[in-house]
Amino acid sequence: MQYESCTTNDNCILSFQTSLPLPKLANPNIGPSHDPAYDTCILPLHGFSGSSAYFTRNFAALSAHHWVVAPDMRGHGFSGRPAGGYHVARLAADLRELISHLRAAAAHKNRDAASPVRIVPVGCSIGAAVLWTYVELFGCDDFAGFVFVDQAPLQDRAEAFGGWDQTMCHTGCYDEATMLAAQKAWMRTADDGLVETHRGLVAECLGYRRGSGAVVSAEESKRDEEFFMGISAMCDGRWLARLLADHTRYDHREAIELITVPTLVMAGKWSGCFPLEGMLETARRAEKGEGMKGKVDVSVFDSGHWLFYEEPERFNREVIEFVDRWTA
């Protein structure tokens, strides 16, 4: 994997890791007429306060089969730190610009190809919300399929709208009071407990910290904690707090029903973020889409929110099988 970047229409630099080099688009006549390595792209999207580094246990296996591109969303990882842009819709717009950039690169490599690169995004946590917003704003035509990982369509409780209660919503950030408390936690300084916010995220997202039964040594547990806390520490907590407010209130249920391409929903049985029923609602909603009968699958992992990290072999295998099935 190597880092590349592109620039959005508001001059934010988006960094991303890619398993294949991107050609210099200024030289359109250089390169092969068709390079099949660029035919299909798996695009993992990290969660809140994360980065593309989250997928360190997935890159090698996925890239052995397909081109892999993993972005750092704005405000995360090595991407730009604008004052604004703390909205899920802005992240979706960024994704569209990245996809345009990747399509241009793939077209350069595949000048004689009959069809453009087939892109299958893997949206984890807020990454799934970004994809649902993309569907609402721009449709599904840019994608060959979707994988949604451990995210319910709505974090807030909304009992007056479809009975969306504690059996479906986020377990810790689900109304005005809990959202404000979460914002306050992320707005702490390094000298005022921010490290405990980062540590609490790890405890919430790793299934073995919640009693899954997975055998993990104290040394490995410490390494995992340091790894994820270090990634969160790269972010501006105040910016994240404002993104959190938008993410918490955003209701994606109807948008999911607009999906018209094959969909795989993955959920962690030991997730500290959502009840299983909330995440399964994604599959139920997707099945309502036009022509979606027989195109929605569900896979429940015996791990937590970061199931791609805790069960990487299974995760990698199922993603590859899904991509191969629907892009062949």
Side-chain angles (χ1 to χ4, degrees), residues 200-207 210 270-273 304-307 310:
L201 180 70
V202 177
E204 183 179 83
C205 294
L206 288 174
R210 299 179 52 78
W270 294 92
S271 175
C273 298
H305 190 61
W306 292 330
L307 55 88
E310 291 191 82

Side-chain angles (χ1 to χ4, degrees), residues 248-262:
T248 299
R249 297 185 176 111
Y250 212 137
D251 190 343
H252 301 276
R253 286 176 290 178
E254 287 77 16
I256 295 171
E257 296 178 13
L258 300 175
I259 292 173
T260 57
V261 295

Side-chain angles (χ1 to χ4, degrees), residues 168-250:
M168 312 285 274
C169 69
H170 196 280
T171 59
C173 187
Y174 50 79
D175 60 15
E176 189 72 10
T178 54
M179 188 273 292
L180 290 173
Q183 281 189 307
K184 184 176 180 180
W186 282 99
M187 290 169 63
R188 295 170 177 169
T189 65
D191 298 326
D192 188 35
L194 181 59
V195 67
E196 295 307 316
T197 300
H198 297 163
R199 184 172 287 114
L201 180 70
V202 177
E204 183 179 83
C205 294
L206 288 174
Y208 69 78
R209 295 287 189 94
R210 299 179 52 78
S212 70
V215 178
V216 176
S217 69
E219 182 180 358
E220 184 178 358
S221 179
K222 181 180 179 181
R223 284 199 304 268
D224 288 348
E225 184 172 273
E226 291 173 348
F227 172 71
F228 286 107
M229 289 177 65
I231 293 172
S232 291
M234 297 176 69
C235 301
D236 176 353
R238 296 183 67 84
W239 190 91
L240 286 178
R242 301 178 84 171
L243 175 62
L244 180 64
D246 187 62
H247 178 38
T248 299
R249 297 185 176 111
Y250 212 137

Side-chain angles (χ1 to χ4, degrees), residues 41-323:
C41 178
I42 299 174
L43 203 155
L45 297 171
H46 64 78
F48 180 85
S49 83
S51 80
S52 58
Y54 268 20
F55 304 107
T56 184
R57 295 182 174 180
N58 314 112
F59 287 142
L62 297 180
S63 63
H65 294 261
H66 298 289
W67 181 22
V68 176
V69 174
D72 292 347
M73 298 182 197
R74 72 167 59 206
H76 297 75
F78 293 109
S79 285
R81 299 288 191 273
Y86 37 77
H87 301 99
V88 179
R90 178 67 251 191
L91 301 182
D94 290 347
L95 177 59
R96 196 179 200 208
E97 295 196 57
L98 172 61
I99 287 171
S100 177
H101 183 76
L102 297 177
R103 285 200 182 284
H108 174 76
K109 284 290 187 178
N110 290 332
R111 283 179 283 128
D112 293 341
S115 60
V117 58
R118 298 178 294 267
I119 299 174
V120 179
V122 182
C124 303
S125 193
I126 199 175
V130 170
L131 293 173
W132 298 330
T133 305
Y134 193 108
V135 170
E136 184 177 16
L137 295 175
F138 310 120
C140 297
D141 291 348
D142 287 328
F143 306 113
F146 289 115
V147 181
F148 302 125
V149 181
D150 215 76
Q151 176 69 39
L154 172 61
Q155 300 212 152
D156 253 350
R157 291 182 183 175
E159 296 182 24
F161 298 94
W164 195 261
D165 59 16
Q166 70 275 8
T167 66
M168 312 285 274
C169 69
H170 196 280
T171 59
C173 187
Y174 50 79
D175 60 15
E176 189 72 10
T178 54
M179 188 273 292
L180 290 173
Q183 281 189 307
K184 184 176 180 180
W186 282 99
M187 290 169 63
R188 295 170 177 169
T189 65
D191 298 326
D192 188 35
L194 181 59
V195 67
E196 295 307 316
T197 300
H198 297 163
R199 184 172 287 114
L201 180 70
V202 177
E204 183 179 83
C205 294
L206 288 174
Y208 69 78
R209 295 287 189 94
R210 299 179 52 78
S212 70
V215 178
V216 176
S217 69
E219 182 180 358
E220 184 178 358
S221 179
K222 181 180 179 181
R223 284 199 304 268
D224 288 348
E225 184 172 273
E226 291 173 348
F227 172 71
F228 286 107
M229 289 177 65
I231 293 172
S232 291
M234 297 176 69
C235 301
D236 176 353
R238 296 183 67 84
W239 190 91
L240 286 178
R242 301 178 84 171
L243 175 62
L244 180 64
D246 187 62
H247 178 38
T248 299
R249 297 185 176 111
Y250 212 137
D251 190 343
H252 301 276
R253 286 176 290 178
E254 287 77 16
I256 295 171
E257 296 178 13
L258 300 175
I259 292 173
T260 57
V261 295
T263 296
L264 172 61
V265 175
M266 293 178 165
K269 188 186 303 182
W270 294 92
S271 175
C273 298
F274 298 99
L276 184 58
E277 275 302 303
M279 294 183 284
L280 295 181
E281 181 68 9
T282 298
R284 290 190 285 264
R285 294 277 176 164
E287 287 171 344
K288 295 181 179 181
E290 182 178 353
M292 290 297 286
K293 184 177 181 179
K295 294 183 179 180
V296 180
D297 294 307
V298 174
S299 183
V300 179
F301 284 63
D302 195 27
S303 53
H305 190 61
W306 292 330
L307 55 88
F308 52 85
Y309 187 85
E310 291 191 82
E311 295 185 72
E313 293 83 6
R314 176 182 171 184
F315 174 86
N316 297 337
R317 181 181 69 253
E318 293 188 8
V319 168
I320 292 166
E321 289 174 351
F322 175 80
V323 172

